[in-house]
């Protein structure tokens, strides 16, 4: 998205420029990018300002990590996202500072499903803007990590989810998805790894 690129350039300019006139121009560009993002996304203007105002230094993509948990060869675990009207998605969330990607996948799975899992393989690293997600102010990479169950008990309600169940691919494609978090084509991709365990990691 061009507005995201403008924001990133403005932030880099503010971080590295020492000329007062240039700093003023970069600040104006950042303000314009915030206004444009507010017009083309569903995010509240105040939220965009707050997020961008807290960013300093060279801007890099945010990372969203999804735990891919299969039961047998035909079912994938999905949860109802309370922050998106109870729509279905794979367990996951933002990568946390101090956690590796695998540790984040394991932590998110436990917090959102009650299951203890072991992350075993990166399946895909995708650029969110190249897929069928709604527009967002932030530039995001999505990491899909295969996890295996080792314990715990499946919960139907957590602090962030309001349901959990196993889906066949056909059922998952027919569900009301939280498309901000996972798309139908991404679910199809995850099932391809079951059909072909040796398939190479997919990276945009």
């Amino acid at each position: 998205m061009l507005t995201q690129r403008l924001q990133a350039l403005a932030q880099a300019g503010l971080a590295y420029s020492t000329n007062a006139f240039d700093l003023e121009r970069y600040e104006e560009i950042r303000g314009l990018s915030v206004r444009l993002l507010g017009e083309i996304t569903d995010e509240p203007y105040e939220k965009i300002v707050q997020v961008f105002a807290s960013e300093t230094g060279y801007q890099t993509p945010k990372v969203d990590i999804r735990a891919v948990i299969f039961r047998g060869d035909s079912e994938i675990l999905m949860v109802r996202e309370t922050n998106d009207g109870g729509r279905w998605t794979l367990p996951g969330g933002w990568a946390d500072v101090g956690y590796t990607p695998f540790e984040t996948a394991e932590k998110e799975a436990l917090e959102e499903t009650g299951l203890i899992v072991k992350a075993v393989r990166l399946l895909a690293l995708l650029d969110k803007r190249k897929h069928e997600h709604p527009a967002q102010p932030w530039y995001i990479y999505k990491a899909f990590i295969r996890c295996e169950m080792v314990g715990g008990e499946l919960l139907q309600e957590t602090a962030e989810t309001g349901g959990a169940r196993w889906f066949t691919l056909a059922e998952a494609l027919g569900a009301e998805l939280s498309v901000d978090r996972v798309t139908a084509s991404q679910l199809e991709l995850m099932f391809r790894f079951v059909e072909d365990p040796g398939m190479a990691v997919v990276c945009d």
Side-chain angles (χ1 to χ4, degrees):
M1 188 185 298
L2 291 177
T3 49
Q4 292 171 329
R5 185 63 183 150
L6 280 174
Q7 163 61 27
L9 290 170
Q11 187 170 309
L14 289 169
Y16 297 112
S17 179
T18 57
N19 181 285
F21 295 104
D22 287 341
L23 288 171
E24 183 178 343
R25 293 185 184 97
Y26 285 127
E27 193 66 60
E28 182 179 358
I29 292 171
R30 180 161 73 170
L32 290 171
S33 71
V34 168
R35 285 176 53 192
L36 288 170
L37 282 167
E39 292 177 4
I40 63 176
T41 71
D42 294 329
E43 297 290 344
Y45 177 79
E46 294 77 12
K47 181 177 179 180
I48 298 173
V49 172
Q50 181 182 15
V51 171
F52 284 161
S54 67
E55 295 274 352
T56 59
Y58 192 84
Q59 190 175 69
T60 60
K62 296 174 74 69
V63 180
D64 175 37
I65 293 181
R66 296 288 144 183
V68 182
I69 309 165
F70 282 101
R71 183 170 68 176
D73 295 334
S74 61
E75 294 179 305
I76 195 169
L77 183 61
M78 298 178 69
V79 295
R80 284 189 181 274
E81 180 65 49
T82 54
N83 285 336
D84 193 16
R87 295 177 177 87
W88 293 96
T89 183
L90 300 176
W94 295 124
D96 291 319
V97 173
Y99 288 82
T100 69
F102 274 24
E103 289 170 343
T104 299
E106 293 168 353
K107 180 175 74 70
E108 291 289 336
L110 178 61
E111 291 175 351
E112 296 189 0
T113 72
L115 296 179
I116 301 169
V117 303
K118 179 176 177 54
V120 294
R121 186 186 175 203
L122 174 67
L123 302 180
L125 183 61
L126 306 179
D127 183 330
K128 192 171 183 179
R129 72 185 171 93
K130 290 183 174 290
H131 300 267
E132 310 89 36
H133 299 282
Q136 273 194 323
W138 306 278
Y139 202 100
I140 298 166
Y141 288 167
K142 297 183 65 64
F144 293 84
I145 296 174
R146 178 75 182 265
C147 298
E148 295 179 351
M149 292 184 291
V150 296
E153 182 178 347
L154 187 61
L155 302 177
Q156 289 303 316
E157 187 171 348
T158 71
E160 299 177 18
T161 60
R165 59 162 286 202
W166 299 95
F167 285 79
T168 65
L169 177 57
E171 290 170 336
L173 296 180
E176 187 176 12
L177 298 178
S178 177
V179 293
D180 184 44
R181 294 164 178 83
V182 69
T183 67
S185 62
Q186 289 164 353
L187 289 171
E188 290 177 321
L189 175 62
M190 296 305 106
F191 273 89
R192 283 171 54 197
F193 281 97
V194 175
E195 299 170 0
D196 182 6
M199 191 168 80
V201 174
V202 176
C203 185
D204 286 330

